[in-house]
Amino acid sequence: MDHKPEPEAVPSLLQLISSNQVAGFDNIPVENKFPGPINVCQATGGHERAVSVSISMPSSPTAAGGRGEAKVFEIGVPDSCKASESIGEYKEAKTVKFLSQPMPKGSILGEAATIKDTNQHPSNKKLKDKRYDSFKTWSGRLERQLSNLRGRPCEIESEDDSSPNFGNTEPLPLPLPVDRYFDALEGPELESLKASEEIVLPHDKTWPFLLRYPISSFGICLGVSSQAIMWKTLAIASSTKFLHINLAINLVLWCISVALVAIVASIYLLKVIIYFEAVRREYFHPIRVNFFFAPWIALLFLALGVPPSVTSKLPAALWYILMTPIFCLELKIYGQWMSGGQRRLSKVANPSNHLSIVGNFVGALLGASMGLKEGPIFFFAVGLAHYTVLFVTLYQRLPTNETLPKELHPVFFLFVAAPSVASMAWASIQGSFDYGSRIAYFIALFLYFSLAVRVNFFRGFKFSLSWWAYTFPMTGAAIATIRYSSAVTNIVTQTLSVMLSIAATLTVTALLVTTILHAFVLRDLFPNDIAIAISDRKPKPIKKWFNRRHGSLDNNKDIETFLKFVSVDSKDIEAALKVPTAEATSE
Amino acid sequence: MALTIISMASLRSETQIVPVNSPQASSFTTTVQSSLSAVFPSRIKHSLSSILTKFHAGYFRISLSLGGQALLWKTLIGPTHDKSTLRHVVHMFHPTAFLLLWCFALFILSLLSLLYILRCFFYFKMVKAEFLHHVGVNYLFAPWISWLLLLQSAPFVAPKTTSYLVLWWFFAVPVVALDVKIYGHWFTKGKKFLSTVANPTSQISVIGNLVGAQAAASMGWKECAVCLFSLGMVHYLVLLVTLYQRFSGSDRLPAMLRPVFFLFFAAPSVASLAWESITGAFDTASKMLFFLSLFLFTSLVFRPALFKRSMRRFNVAWWAYSFPLTILALASTEYAEEVKGSIAHILMFLLLSLSVLVSLGLTIFTLLNTRMLLPDNDPISGLYHLPIVSP
């Protein structure tokens, strides 16, 4: 069959039809995202809102893996383009009837889209880039600016069509409601996609590194810097002097932590600059939002663990600078809890919320050790009040709460973090390890042991980088024990402090080995970050489509109407109607 | 027995209430009408009845605010260890001006109390409906709190005199009685579990206990004070957790009542002041409560969208802004006196000016818009006029 004349003819015809049919076409795919034989694209989804989420072909995990490139539409592509691209998809998917034969994907798209250049290779590459454009800052405009500056004319030319449509007043996409995250994801860290859900980025390709880099990577900084503090305390504390720990260990670990914080922070900063949308989506994720405290807590840990050889007195202004982002963040987060909207506590409470509380206590500890008086008490009070609320909520395991994992998961170790750090903070504020500190310490110890004896239940989870964040509670408990043993020195407390320190060190070492293993041997340290790529629509009639092999009639009606017109071989209506069945049965 | 709402259709043309007329209601109506006509001439009777039906305990917010202001100014012009210039300036507030303020507060409170007593006599069923409503019941504490505040700020009643003691008992006993009833409901009564009825106004009961504790401590009755304080704090803890969880979302409270969110930071402030009265000094616990209150205040101030809907039309709920601000200013005064730093005094100045501005503004606004104070279709008083089936 001749490809040549048809591709030229088709686009104009299709464009004409599509612009007429746009209203009708709109109705089909918005609800119909399914990995069926007919790939209905949600171009119109993007059409009705000025949102930068681009739609891909349904590429849910259940779809056949090697199924074609994801064709993604961006905003600003003219409607006709969109529609014709979708038609391109139809053609490709169907391989039947109305358009003659399977055409090379590149050429279809090159022609169906009215983008000027018909060069296949750049278009393929650009398409690949475009898939991630929705996640780029200002939908890729920044990147184009940068590449313009670097003088890459071919990019400019191809984007000419899109640029007039990228209005300067393009609004930021609406934040995903928290319900979408709960509906689409599952697992103790809300990381895995539910089977019925789809993601807006290609499922089968490895995404750009920055898109795969989650905020929970800051957990490594937390884990290592808390180790630095522990070794410093072991070397300095009176009750562990018998171990003769060298302060050099603290120095080495501290320097490693500084390097780690710098590296992780700069990579994440790059992600903020280039893929701001991805960062936003992480912020709206009910579990990841707590990790936004992690960088600042890591900096606080660095200040706490600073070796005496580096500096002995930190300036007070530093404390204020470090606490300001924590203060602003917690104003936002606790306010969300209180105002009773969609992110109220009874709905989103999960053990990771401890990260938002611990920052208060760590700040109080640092401030008190620096000699400040009022500021530490302020943060201690705020942290204590909200910790009480969170603690009760988590213990209650409210039925409205969806994110608590039913089985134990390392995230539960975060329960130990707050009381242990609070006990140390109170001891610093009061000047001695008094009853208040001891009460908090014993609570921490109890929680630690009740989790440690259940260590068998921690098996069987997929390793993720956020596990590093769960090691710092163990280290924190060890440090609190050392402080306690300095106040109450006897053989029991000293043994306990040594044991807990060894446990913490072993855990960190094991985690380090696992991380290296995953990074270099298995090479899956940074898997595709599914959690940020969920679509903002529920894919509704998936099941219907699968069950009935026809799709629901009302949904299909428009498809079939459309197909009728599309059929340039002037097949009759019956043939057009038979299409889905044939296609479905042929799958 | 279905609680019928008396529709005074003969007296008012609008029908905001759900009329469930039964023979006993109409006979009650005639009784009321006859009793009223026996007492007042007809025109006054009409206006009085309309006022009494629209009046509800929420109006005591006004007296709460005024009482709070009186207490604030009494503390400010009283003897102090604070040597700062700000305190010095404030000290120049003339005692006569304070006396005027206190008398004005007393007058308003007496007026409101009288109206409410009349309402109890003539429209007891409405009062009962208020009592059974999850928001209205908390405002039944408001009159007693206002009286306690006025007692504490009274210029001529010294704390250790017998009259003070007698008055304290007179005002504190109803608070405790209400406590027993309401807190008992929370964990025993079927339909009124805390998880279903909790709303920000529930903190008024806590405030009642704490104000009583403060008044008792200033009398020297430490044990009573500690008892009331612990009662208040325990229930505050429970309430804090429940309210933060927002189990049932924000739909338990109508949008017009959003100003009561300010009560979130009123309770810790009053607790801080009460603890200071008990221990004698603004120690760490008081500081922590004050800081918590400050944090909650900041967090609410940064959420103006929460209050937008309620600010569309003036209604008495706007007075809910004033008392918490006043108490926070008072706590910051005590804090500044204790800490003596410049930041503390700046904070005190800011909060003080804010509370004075808000109270003054509200007073002027109310005086200018007296008609809007008792609106015909007040959405809040409409809340209480729900037919309730008692079990």
Side-chain angles (χ1 to χ4, degrees):
Chain A
M1 302 289 273
D2 41 5
H3 301 196
K4 298 291 164 58
E6 284 198 356
E8 267 108 57
V10 157
S12 56
L13 183 64
L14 289 173
Q15 278 172 36
L16 179 65
I17 292 159
S18 62
S19 57
N20 289 343
Q21 285 280 17
V22 147
F25 185 54
D26 275 359
N27 296 334
I28 315 164
V30 169
E31 314 310 325
N32 245 3
K33 233 173 135 38
F34 45 81
I38 295 179
N39 296 308
V40 183
C41 53
Q42 267 191 6
T44 51
H47 174 63
E48 36 194 66
R49 44 172 212 273
V51 160
S52 63
V53 177
S54 48
I55 324 298
S56 67
M57 273 177 37
S59 47
S60 84
T62 56
R67 215 182 188 310
E69 305 275 80
K71 310 294 174 286
V72 159
F73 304 109
E74 336 156 37
I75 334 154
V77 178
D79 295 339
S80 50
C81 282
K82 277 194 211 167
S84 47
E85 281 197 21
S86 63
I87 295 156
E89 285 188 21
Y90 265 90
K91 290 182 248 173
E92 188 192 281
K94 303 287 293 113
T95 70
V96 193
K97 286 34 179 183
F98 41 103
L99 283 181
S100 25
Q101 286 331 344
M103 289 181 242
K105 297 173 201 166
S107 66
I108 290 178
L109 292 158
E111 278 126 10
T114 54
I115 296 176
K116 287 188 193 110
D117 67 331
T118 49
N119 231 339
Q120 291 191 16
H121 295 295
S123 78
N124 268 343
K125 198 170 80 160
K126 254 187 299 293
L127 283 166
K128 246 189 224 168
D129 286 344
K130 283 203 189 99
R131 275 179 298 183
Y132 306 108
D133 258 2
S134 61
F135 280 71
K136 291 189 183 164
T137 312
W138 303 317
S139 312
R141 263 186 301 171
L142 181 63
E143 198 176 323
R144 278 194 290 280
Q145 300 273 35
L146 291 173
S147 54
N148 284 355
L149 289 172
R150 277 184 262 140
R152 297 219 320 234
C154 61
E155 301 248 4
I156 304 173
E157 191 190 299
S158 63
E159 304 302 346
D160 269 344
D161 295 27
S162 351
S163 48
N165 297 302
F166 273 108
N168 289 327
T169 55
E170 192 182 279
L172 271 182
L174 289 171
L176 283 178
V178 78
D179 280 330
R180 276 302 300 149
Y181 288 98
F182 288 133
D183 290 335
L185 299 166
E186 58 188 0
E189 289 167 342
L190 279 187
E191 296 271 322
S192 353
L193 198 66
K194 283 191 186 155
S196 53
E197 289 286 337
E198 317 244 303
I199 50 175
V200 298
L201 292 178
H203 156 73
D204 45 353
K205 293 277 171 230
T206 307
W207 304 347
F209 175 70
L210 283 180
L211 268 185
R212 291 183 279 133
Y213 195 77
I215 181 96
S216 29
S217 322
F218 278 100
I220 309 183
C221 311
L222 285 179
V224 179
S225 45
S226 57
Q227 278 287 307
I229 305 177
M230 187 182 87
W231 286 98
K232 175 180 174 184
T233 321
L234 273 173
I236 294 183
S238 54
S239 57
T240 49
K241 279 241 185 310
F242 67 94
L243 293 167
H244 301 292
I245 305 284
N246 199 339
L247 266 174
I249 305 180
N250 161 247
L251 185 63
V252 166
L253 279 172
W254 191 80
C255 295
I256 296 177
S257 320
V258 172
L260 265 176
V261 169
I263 293 172
V264 173
S266 35
I267 298 179
Y268 203 77
L269 194 63
L270 272 176
K271 182 178 181 183
V272 168
I273 294 174
I274 299 182
Y275 286 110
F276 186 66
E277 173 63 19
V279 173
R280 272 181 94 232
R281 275 164 168 252
E282 274 196 297
Y283 180 72
F284 293 124
H285 190 280
I287 294 194
R288 299 277 183 88
V289 66
N290 301 300
F291 281 90
F292 278 82
F293 284 88
W296 317 108
I297 301 181
L299 288 174
L300 287 172
F301 279 164
L302 283 180
L304 274 169
V306 65
S309 47
V310 173
T311 172
S312 58
K313 193 116 177 63
L314 292 165
L318 179 69
W319 185 82
Y320 289 103
I321 296 174
L322 286 178
M323 290 310 287
T324 309
I326 294 187
F327 181 68
C328 298
L329 258 177
E330 66 186 18
L331 266 183
K332 184 92 176 95
I333 308 263
Y334 299 163
Q336 277 175 343
W337 291 0
M338 179 168 55
S339 64
Q342 53 164 323
R343 283 171 201 272
R344 59 183 182 270
L345 190 59
S346 55
K347 218 169 163 184
V348 304
N350 63 82
S352 320
N353 284 126
H354 283 284
L355 278 172
S356 47
I357 309 273
V358 157
N360 291 307
F361 293 129
V362 178
L365 176 60
L366 178 65
S369 63
M370 284 163 80
L372 300 166
K373 290 267 338 148
E374 300 303 311
I377 300 182
F378 178 86
F379 281 101
F380 190 86
V382 172
L384 185 64
H386 293 91
Y387 176 62
T388 320
V389 173
L390 181 69
F391 189 71
V392 173
T393 311
L394 288 175
Y395 248 94
Q396 279 176 334
R397 290 245 184 184
L398 288 171
T400 53
N401 191 300
E402 305 176 47
T403 50
L404 278 184
K406 303 290 180 292
E407 59 285 319
L408 279 181
H409 181 271
V411 73
F412 274 82
F413 268 100
L414 281 177
F415 269 94
V416 180
S420 46
V421 184
S423 78
M424 287 192 281
W426 190 248
S428 295
I429 290 174
Q430 295 294 92
S432 68
F433 211 88
D434 67 350
Y435 286 122
S437 307
R438 288 178 202 199
I439 291 174
Y441 170 67
F442 290 135
I443 294 175
L445 206 60
F446 170 77
L447 289 168
Y448 189 106
F449 281 126
S450 71
L451 287 171
V453 298
R454 290 184 168 80
V455 75
N456 276 332
F457 295 111
F458 288 107
R459 306 249 187 94
F461 290 104
K462 187 177 178 317
F463 172 77
S464 89
L465 215 49
S466 50
W467 284 27
W468 277 95
Y470 312 142
T471 60
F472 95 83
M474 298 180 72
T475 320
I479 303 172
T481 313
I482 299 171
R483 292 271 181 104
Y484 175 65
S485 67
S486 301
V488 179
T489 316
N490 58 53
I491 193 71
V492 175
T493 57
Q494 284 173 316
T495 323
L496 195 61
S497 41
V498 171
M499 269 174 32
L500 286 182
S501 309
I502 292 177
T505 314
L506 281 177
T507 315
V508 169
T509 319
L511 216 55
L512 184 67
V513 168
T514 320
T515 309
I516 294 178
L517 193 73
H518 277 270
F520 298 115
V521 175
L522 296 173
R523 291 186 180 272
D524 65 349
L525 189 62
F526 294 106
N528 278 354
D529 199 1
I530 311 277
I532 57 166
I534 57 174
S535 65
D536 54 351
R537 300 290 161 98
K538 238 185 152 70
K540 277 185 209 155
I542 290 182
K543 299 188 172 79
K544 277 197 235 169
W545 181 257
F546 270 135
N547 290 342
R548 290 211 260 154
R549 292 310 206 162
H550 274 291
S552 54
L553 279 179
D554 40 342
N555 284 325
N556 258 5
K557 208 169 36 182
D558 292 334
I559 305 175
E560 281 144 14
T561 326
F562 182 74
L563 291 177
K564 266 189 290 188
F565 288 103
V566 156
S567 161
V568 292
D569 288 341
S570 47
K571 297 285 191 223
D572 49 20
I573 296 179
E574 279 91 41
L577 279 174
K578 277 201 210 106
V579 158
T581 326
E583 190 49 42
T585 49
S586 69
E587 270 301 283
Chain B
M1 174 191 82
L3 187 71
T4 59
I5 309 301
I6 298 108
S7 84
M8 306 298 291
S10 57
L11 297 174
R12 294 182 297 123
S13 49
E14 67 285 294
T15 51
Q16 80 201 62
I17 333 169
V18 180
V20 183
N21 274 320
S22 61
Q24 65 186 110
S26 47
S27 66
F28 191 79
T29 315
T30 41
T31 321
V32 166
Q33 281 182 318
S34 56
S35 57
L36 276 181
S37 53
V39 180
F40 298 104
S42 126
R43 202 161 50 104
I44 299 182
K45 176 186 77 174
H46 282 192
S47 54
L48 192 64
S49 302
S50 71
I51 292 177
L52 286 183
T53 42
K54 293 183 213 165
F55 188 74
H56 56 84
Y59 283 84
F60 280 97
R61 291 188 191 102
I62 306 178
S63 60
L64 259 184
S65 315
L66 292 172
Q69 279 288 306
L71 187 61
L72 173 68
W73 285 102
K74 175 160 192 200
T75 317
L76 281 175
I77 65 175
T80 172
H81 303 295
D82 196 352
K83 303 278 186 292
S84 71
T85 47
L86 176 62
R87 201 59 187 263
H88 203 68
V89 164
V90 154
H91 224 214
M92 296 196 291
F93 186 65
H94 204 265
T96 321
F98 165 69
L99 193 62
L100 275 175
L101 170 64
W102 189 84
C103 291
F104 179 61
L106 182 66
F107 168 68
I108 297 284
L109 183 53
S110 317
L111 179 66
L112 290 174
S113 308
L114 184 66
L115 279 175
Y116 206 75
I117 291 174
L118 283 176
R119 181 175 153 99
C120 286
F121 273 136
F122 295 125
Y123 297 104
F124 185 67
K125 297 249 164 90
M126 287 186 153
V127 175
K128 195 159 177 199
E130 266 189 79
F131 180 73
L132 293 170
H133 189 265
H134 64 277
V135 170
V137 68
N138 298 305
Y139 276 101
L140 295 178
F141 281 93
W144 311 110
I145 304 178
S146 316
W147 281 110
L148 279 168
L149 286 171
L150 275 185
L151 181 65
Q152 276 188 280
S153 56
F156 46 79
V157 183
K160 303 230 195 272
T161 58
T162 355
S163 44
Y164 190 101
L165 188 70
V166 165
L167 284 170
W168 184 87
W169 274 102
F170 186 67
F171 299 136
V173 164
V175 171
V176 176
L178 272 171
D179 270 351
V180 167
K181 192 92 174 82
I182 293 170
Y183 294 158
H185 273 169
W186 284 3
F187 65 95
T188 55
K189 200 107 189 247
K191 290 203 176 90
K192 294 195 175 290
F193 286 144
L194 183 59
S195 51
T196 49
V197 303
N199 64 82
T201 57
S202 312
Q203 289 166 9
I204 298 185
S205 58
V206 169
I207 293 175
N209 288 316
L210 294 170
V211 171
Q214 189 186 5
S218 64
M219 251 190 339
W221 281 47
K222 285 282 162 58
E223 296 308 310
C224 263
V226 172
C227 168
L228 280 175
F229 182 81
S230 48
L231 254 185
M233 282 317 280
V234 148
H235 290 98
Y236 178 61
L237 189 65
V238 172
L239 211 51
L240 181 71
V241 173
T242 313
L243 286 176
Y244 249 101
Q245 286 176 340
R246 303 317 297 276
F247 190 69
S248 42
S250 46
D251 34 275
R252 291 304 290 168
L253 202 69
M256 296 294 277
L257 282 181
R258 288 277 168 85
V260 305
F261 267 76
F262 268 41
L263 285 170
F264 267 107
F265 65 86
S269 295
V270 182
S272 140
L273 288 170
W275 189 247
E276 194 216 356
S277 299
I278 292 176
T279 54
F282 206 83
D283 66 350
T284 313
S286 295
K287 280 190 204 173
M288 283 174 48
L289 286 164
F290 170 64
F291 286 140
L292 177 64
S293 167
L294 204 59
F295 178 80
L296 291 171
F297 167 69
T298 321
S299 141
L300 280 173
V301 154
F302 278 110
R303 298 194 152 252
L306 207 55
F307 301 104
K308 232 187 280 187
R309 266 186 74 189
S310 63
M311 297 300 285
R312 284 200 204 135
R313 205 179 61 156
F314 176 67
N315 62 75
V316 75
W318 285 24
W319 276 95
Y321 289 130
S322 165
F323 172 70
L325 282 172
T326 313
I327 291 293
L328 184 63
L330 188 52
S332 75
T333 314
E334 301 292 330
Y335 176 68
E337 185 177 331
E338 166 73 23
V339 169
K340 301 184 190 26
S342 54
I343 301 181
H345 281 97
I346 295 175
L347 187 65
M348 167 184 156
F349 173 69
L350 286 172
L351 289 172
L352 211 56
S353 22
L354 189 63
S355 93
V356 168
L357 279 171
V358 168
S359 305
L360 213 55
L362 277 172
T363 317
I364 295 175
F365 209 75
T366 310
L367 288 173
L368 290 177
N369 291 320
T370 348
R371 198 140 35 92
M372 291 183 74
L373 201 58
L374 284 166
D376 288 339
N377 49 349
D378 185 2
I380 300 167
S381 63
L383 280 180
Y384 305 145
H385 299 160
L386 301 168
I388 294 152
V389 178
S390 54

